[in-house]
Amino acid sequence: MERQNLAAMLSAHGVRPTQQRIAVFDYLLTHHTHPSADTIYNALSREYPVFSRTTIYNSLNTLLEAGLIRAVTITPEEQRFDGNTSDHGHFRCLSCGEIFDFEVDPAVIRSFCPSGFREEQSNLFFTGRCPRCLPPRH
Amino acid sequence: MERQNLAAMLSAHGVRPTQQRIAVFDYLLTHHTHPSADTIYNALSREYPVFSRTTIYNSLNTLLEAGLIRAVTITPEEQRFDGNTSDHGHFRCLSCGEIFDFEVDPAVIRSFCPSGFREEQSNLFFTGRCPRCLPPRH
DNA sequence: GTTCCTGCAAAAGCTTTGCAGAAGA
DNA sequence: TCTTCTGCAAAGCTTTTGCAGGAAC
């Protein structure tokens, strides 16, 4: 997406479109790898000479509050982030550590929510082995 | 459960039944509050005079490896633990922070796992407001 | 010009590690 | 007795905070 469009999206959500926020948002929309703050930091510091860790955290928290990105609480070590804010499932491979997306019908998932509770976000995720890490079948 | 039975369970899983491990395991089986390591530490230090944080972490990791307890990766701040190792869903209230259990059919949840992936653990959890924190209906 | 943001340094909080003494088999 | 575990101190990591300079409007 054009940087100008990204800036417009931020403005539309009441977020001042600074260079840094646009870069973080752009990274999350382009890379569907559920990166950690550190991964984003390493990638962006290569591109931009000065880009502090603090700013990554500031930008991520601002984008989270605006609802433009999502936090993925799957890995115990660190928080992961996702530019895809639509409801979808996650699969984490215990061998290679990669996190995969898969489609789920949000209405079906929500139907499991116990009565009396007001659901705001639903999460379905599996851990196991991905096809690449499984031994080939005979 | 009797301490002797707890010790037998640990032994059966190849875990040497020390006083500390029995106490941690007992706590998780008795309290269904998905406590953090710190919560367990605070509770047990009141009961036992000497009980270090390191030992809590050591015991939890040992019990995890033995499959006697489960880690609940729901809160971004800290790891939570659960003495209930059967498949079940979680609901985290954004107001009071409490984590509730609810029943789900493991087979139904597993059916959402994408083909080609080998599922080892399935997790379904919601965030939102619990009945106590919701405004009363008219 | 005023407000809000960036980024450095420092700190805070959770978890792990190294190692000497102690407990379990 | 020999192995394994405990627990203190210290360190490692992720994330947050305070604050001065700078960018955005």
Side-chain angles (χ1 to χ4, degrees), chain A residues 16 18 20-21 52 54-55:
Chain A
R16 190 181 280 191
T18 65
Q20 293 86 341
R21 287 170 179 175
S52 79
T54 308
T55 299

Side-chain angles (χ1 to χ4, degrees), chain A residues 17-53:
Chain A
T18 65
Q19 296 296 312
Q20 293 86 341
R21 287 170 179 175
I22 293 172
V24 170
F25 191 36
D26 189 19
Y27 186 89
L28 279 170
L29 290 182
T30 314
H31 302 79
H32 304 129
T33 50
H34 314 83
S36 65
D38 195 57
T39 304
I40 301 173
Y41 171 72
N42 287 319
L44 294 185
S45 357
R46 225 167 284 136
E47 224 174 312
Y48 304 85
V50 177
F51 216 128
S52 79
R53 268 195 176 74

Side-chain angles (χ1 to χ4, degrees), chain B residues 88-125:
Chain B
H88 60 278
H90 291 114
F91 188 104
R92 184 192 186 199
C93 179
L94 298 172
S95 267
C96 63
E98 195 166 328
I99 297 174
F100 301 85
D101 286 337
F102 61 89
E103 292 294 317
V104 278
D105 185 341
V108 173
I109 297 302
R110 272 196 287 273
S111 72
F112 291 105
C113 186
S115 66
F117 289 76
R118 191 172 66 205
E119 175 268 348
E120 286 181 22
Q121 199 176 95
S122 50
N123 304 272
L124 174 64
F125 78 94

Side-chain angles (χ1 to χ4, degrees), chain A residues 94-112:
Chain A
L94 296 172
S95 267
C96 63
E98 195 166 330
I99 297 175
F100 301 85
D101 286 335
F102 62 89
E103 293 292 318
V104 279
D105 185 339
V108 173
I109 297 304
R110 272 197 286 272
S111 71
F112 291 104

Side-chain angles (χ1 to χ4, degrees), chain A residues 32-102:
Chain A
H32 304 129
T33 50
H34 314 83
S36 65
D38 195 57
T39 304
I40 301 173
Y41 171 72
N42 287 319
L44 294 185
S45 357
R46 225 167 284 136
E47 224 174 312
Y48 304 85
V50 177
F51 216 128
S52 79
R53 268 195 176 74
T54 308
T55 299
I56 301 284
Y57 283 104
N58 285 339
S59 301
L60 287 170
N61 285 328
T62 304
L63 294 172
L64 273 176
E65 279 168 29
L68 287 161
I69 63 171
R70 250 202 188 187
V72 183
T73 306
I74 284 187
T75 50
E77 309 85 32
E78 65 205 348
Q79 182 75 269
R80 303 295 201 97
F81 299 91
D82 197 341
N84 180 359
T85 53
S86 70
D87 271 314
H88 61 278
H90 291 114
F91 187 103
R92 184 193 186 198
C93 179
L94 296 172
S95 267
C96 63
E98 195 166 330
I99 297 175
F100 301 85
D101 286 335
F102 62 89

